[in-house]
Amino acid sequence: MINAVVLLCITDNFHRFSDHRKFACFSGVAPFDHTSGTTIRGKTQTFSLASKEVKVYLTRAAITAMCYDPALKAYYKRKTLEGKHKASVINAIRAKITARCFAVIRRQTPYVSLMR
């Protein structure tokens, strides 16, 4: 419930951002490369000036979703077994949650899980 209220307030009832990718950039979920021309400098990182409050709520939602959503739990296990860092996988789950929220609002239908 708290996450829903935070998303509604921050996104101004989902009118402030046109799609979930722009919201992901705002909330510090989208990773960016450090490049200059053909030179790649270091790993991808999230935007440091992003809304940290929203990022905290999304992180809590992602950790809770990993426990209760079978699809996200399977995704987390698969990616960690592939050798991905746990924080990187949690970041991907945050992005999936924002995409799901924006899809539910855009379609105006309740979320239906494909895994049972």
Side-chain angles (χ1 to χ4, degrees):
M1 183 61 82
I2 293 172
N3 292 319
V5 171
V6 168
L7 283 177
L8 286 172
C9 292
I10 295 296
T11 61
D12 193 25
N13 204 15
F14 290 91
H15 293 298
R16 185 172 174 192
F17 301 97
S18 59
D19 64 351
H20 68 92
R21 288 182 181 92
K22 291 180 182 177
F23 179 72
C25 291
F26 171 79
S27 62
V29 174
F32 292 99
D33 294 330
H34 289 279
T35 59
S36 174
T38 59
T39 306
I40 299 173
R41 298 181 179 152
K43 301 177 191 175
T44 59
Q45 294 180 346
T46 58
F47 189 50
S48 60
L49 299 176
S51 175
K52 292 182 182 23
E53 182 182 357
V54 176
K55 194 171 185 177
V56 166
Y57 283 111
L58 287 174
T59 301
R60 291 179 186 160
I63 292 170
T64 303
M66 284 186 325
C67 296
Y68 295 106
D69 187 354
L72 293 179
K73 184 186 281 190
Y75 178 81
Y76 180 78
K77 286 181 182 179
R78 186 178 78 239
K79 288 298 185 179
T80 52
L81 288 175
E82 289 176 3
K84 295 282 187 182
H85 194 272
K86 292 179 181 179
S88 174
V89 179
I90 289 174
N91 192 50
I93 291 173
R94 284 191 300 232
K96 286 180 177 288
I97 288 172
T98 59
R100 285 180 180 182
C101 291
F102 274 80
V104 164
I105 295 299
R106 184 180 65 244
R107 294 180 190 149
Q108 295 187 357
T109 59
Y111 175 72
V112 178
S113 177
L114 298 177
M115 293 186 76
R116 307 234 178 220

